[in-house]
Amino acid sequence: MTYMVYIDQYGWIEIMGQGAKETILTPALCRAARGLLDWTQAELAGRASVSRSTIRDYEGQNHEIHRATEAQLRLAFEDGGVRFVEIEGAGTGLCLPAATSL
């Protein structure tokens, strides 16, 4: 069964208009997105206007982050070109758009 998924600017998932929401930026996805962009924690911190220690602690699973911080991180990744995609049966994945040829 297929369904539509909407991911808002804060990283919250809505499935077919239902009210239940969950975060999509996990510590592992944060590390993976940085890897796709070849960014250090310091680079992400600068682009997202958060402290490097916040990123270090979140990626190390030492603490959760606030929704606003998650939104800032996600926006920085999206501005860098990362796309968050929901894959039915597998969860959230990341990709970079294919290079366009002129």
Side-chain angles (χ1 to χ4, degrees), residues 5-51:
V5 173
Y6 170 74
I7 302 174
D8 69 16
Q9 77 263 22
Y10 301 109
W12 293 94
I13 297 174
E14 261 188 80
I15 301 172
M16 296 178 64
Q18 296 176 4
K21 295 183 178 183
E22 61 184 67
T23 183
I24 65 161
L25 186 64
T26 64
L29 283 175
C30 190
R31 290 188 303 272
R34 276 195 316 102
L36 279 174
L37 296 170
D38 197 26
W39 288 356
T40 64
Q41 289 179 344
E43 286 174 302
L44 174 58
R47 292 172 185 264
S49 299
V50 301
S51 71

Side-chain angles (χ1 to χ4, degrees), residues 37-101:
L37 296 170
D38 197 26
W39 288 356
T40 64
Q41 289 179 344
E43 286 174 302
L44 174 58
R47 292 172 185 264
S49 299
V50 301
S51 71
R52 184 189 161 279
S53 63
T54 295
I55 295 167
R56 180 196 63 221
D57 291 345
Y58 180 60
E59 287 184 352
Q61 299 180 346
N62 294 323
H63 68 75
E64 295 297 316
I65 56 175
H66 295 283
R67 287 192 310 174
T69 303
E70 179 183 1
Q72 288 172 255
L73 294 175
R74 183 161 176 230
L75 183 60
F77 288 136
E78 289 174 343
D79 287 347
V82 169
R83 299 294 175 256
F84 292 83
V85 294
E86 184 66 22
I87 303 165
E88 186 176 352
T92 303
L94 305 170
C95 66
L96 292 173
T100 57
S101 59

